[in-house]
Structure formats: C-alpha cells, structure tokens
Amino acid sequence: MNVREPALPVDPRWPGEPTVLEVGRARRWLARRGVAVWLPTRVLALRLGGRGIGTRGTPGFAIVLAVLWTLTGVVFKRNDLPGEAAVLAVLYASFHVARWRRAQRRDRLAESLTGATAPPPLRVAVRQVGWWYLVSTGLTFLGGAALCAAAFLTGPRFTWKHWYPPEVAIGVNTVALAFAAGATALVLGRVVRGPVIAEDAASHAVDGALRTLDPYLFAPTAPYVVLAMPVYVVDWAWPGPLGWISLAYLVTVFALQLIGWLLARRRSRSLPPGCYGG
C-alpha cells in the first residue's frame, strides 16, 4: 500500500482506513498550519482525525461524564459526603484516558502502514513536549502531595462543620491526586517513548507537533491543583500561611501550563513543505 496516497473516506468498518469525519478533521488541522490539501494521506488522516473530540465513542463518554458529574454534585451535597472534588477529578482523568486510548488505536493502524520505528532520543522527545509542561506537571503532583500532607498534619483550627473528620476529606483527595498522576503518566510515557510514526519529512513534522500538543490535549494537569488546596479540602475560614502558599501554588501551576500551551501552539503553528496529501 502506498502510504502517501491520499486517503479516501470509506465505510468506518473497513480496517485501516480513516472515516469521513477523520479526513475532514485532518484537513482542518493541516489548514490551520498553512497546508491546504483536499485529501490528507492515510497516515495523517488516521492520526490527526483520531484526536478529535467528536471521534467515535467520545460523545458517549461525554454524555456519561456529564450525567455522573451532575449526579455527583447532587448526591454529595445532599448527603454531606466527602470527596466530591475527588470524584470529579477521577471522572475528568478517566475521560481524557478514554479519548487517549481511542487516539492510540488509530495511531497503531497508522504505524502498521509505516512500519515499526524506534522512539526519538529522550532529550529530543523532552524538548518536543516542552519544559513548561513538564515543570507545571511536576509541580502539580509533587507540590500537591506536599500540601495534602501538610493539611493532614495541621488540620483546621476551627469547629469542623461536617459529620466526618477532616482527615477523611484530605485522604480521599490525596488518593484522587495519585489517580490523576497515574493517568497523566500513562499518556506522557507514550508521548515521550512512543515510536515515531512517519515515512517522510512531512509525517515526521506532524509526529513532532503531536508530541508537543498531545500532553495538553489528553493530560492537562492544572485542574488537579484543587485537590491539594487546604482552603477547599478542610474548609478553613481564613487561609492562614498554608492557605496562602496553596493559593500561590494554584496560580503558579495555572500560569506555567497556560504559558506552555501558548508556546506549544506557536511552535506547531506552521509545517515545512512536504507531501501531506493531494
């Protein structure tokens, strides 16, 4: 099979071929980066089209997530249960992992067309991901674990208004933070050490762009900072020193990840000349 041949949208039940929606998404992705093609190559259509929000199965995940999200808020508030933020964080992480697994299935089909190749050198992959994302992610989970431990050891200094002890709320949030770290490691490990899926300069450029954008698309970690905020975890009436540190932690993580996202978009804004389709 000629992998550079333009992809024709076919019946999605046919193995190894992109769907109509995937071809359309790949065209739009390339057009936003200065490459105008009518039909992207099969490899690019599978990889780029498989990363859209509306890919097959994603709407179902989104509906389930929305229903569970709504029910969680109602049930937890009505019964004064601990861990509402933790459950929402687990749902959020699970949704991104489900989308990531779908994208990986399309990547494996693309890899079967190009043949197995080695991953890029570690320093190259790290540079493609970007230090802004890596630093913000490390701060999210390491700083979050430290804040959860500090909140657990100090505890609130006023009358606790829930029927369960504050250590329960802190412990549940810590478990959710660990779950989010595992979900992030699942995505990031594949981004950094996954094989290069490319057969020419054009698909190599797209592979590098996806390594830059995938962490923000499938493993955005900044929202998990709320799990480590003592102000929310233990309902402190006034933040105090630890609370102010946690607020600085929140602002820093969001700022680092936002800057990283903006720079990642800028780095992947244009693609070099090459065969992207026909």
Side-chain angles (χ1 to χ4, degrees):
M1 179 183 294
N2 182 8
V3 295
R4 297 189 184 185
E5 181 178 309
L8 295 175
V10 297
D11 189 322
R13 291 173 296 182
W14 288 19
E17 292 289 348
T19 66
V20 176
L21 290 176
E22 287 174 340
V23 170
R25 291 191 193 96
R27 285 179 57 195
R28 291 192 295 272
W29 193 95
L30 292 170
R32 289 196 298 268
R33 288 156 180 82
V35 177
V37 295
W38 178 246
L39 291 175
T41 63
R42 282 185 174 88
V43 169
L44 299 185
L46 287 168
R47 300 201 71 194
L48 300 176
R51 281 164 165 75
I53 287 290
T55 52
R56 186 175 58 180
T58 304
F61 292 137
I63 292 172
V64 172
L65 178 68
V67 171
L68 291 176
W69 196 287
T70 304
L71 291 177
T72 297
V74 173
V75 172
F76 276 68
K77 286 182 174 62
R78 179 173 299 175
N79 299 284
D80 190 24
L81 298 175
E84 179 183 357
V87 172
L88 295 179
V90 169
L91 292 175
Y92 178 80
S94 300
F95 176 68
H96 283 296
V97 168
R99 291 181 54 233
W100 171 247
R101 291 176 65 85
R102 159 69 182 173
Q104 287 303 292
R105 287 195 292 270
R106 306 310 279 171
D107 273 3
R108 283 193 289 271
L109 285 175
E111 186 180 356
S112 68
L113 298 177
T114 62
T117 57
L122 182 60
R123 58 184 176 82
V124 173
V126 168
R127 187 169 63 249
Q128 288 173 329
V129 172
W131 285 107
W132 289 97
Y133 175 84
L134 295 174
V135 170
S136 65
T137 297
L139 182 60
T140 297
F141 295 117
L142 296 178
L147 284 172
C148 284
F152 189 88
L153 293 174
T154 58
R157 292 184 174 86
F158 67 97
T159 303
W160 181 247
K161 64 182 180 180
H162 302 287
W163 62 267
Y164 51 86
E167 290 80 9
V168 172
I170 299 170
V172 170
N173 279 29
T174 304
V175 171
L177 189 68
F179 180 90
T184 301
L186 179 66
V187 175
L188 194 57
R190 178 70 178 179
V191 170
V192 173
R193 302 310 299 154
V196 176
I197 304 176
E199 77 286 346
D200 58 9
S203 49
H204 267 280
V206 171
D207 185 87
L210 291 180
R211 290 180 195 272
T212 298
L213 297 173
D214 277 352
Y216 296 97
L217 184 62
F218 297 107
T221 57
Y224 300 128
V225 298
V226 298
L227 296 172
M229 296 290 291
V231 175
Y232 302 120
V233 173
V234 297
D235 293 340
W236 287 8
W238 183 252
L242 184 59
W244 290 117
I245 292 173
S246 69
L247 290 173
Y249 155 79
L250 181 148
V251 171
T252 302
V253 168
F254 270 95
L256 289 174
Q257 199 140 115
L258 177 60
I259 293 172
W261 166 241
L262 294 174
L263 292 176
R265 291 187 61 184
R266 182 178 180 181
R267 292 206 311 271
S268 60
R269 184 177 297 173
S270 60
L271 294 170
C275 178
Y276 295 92

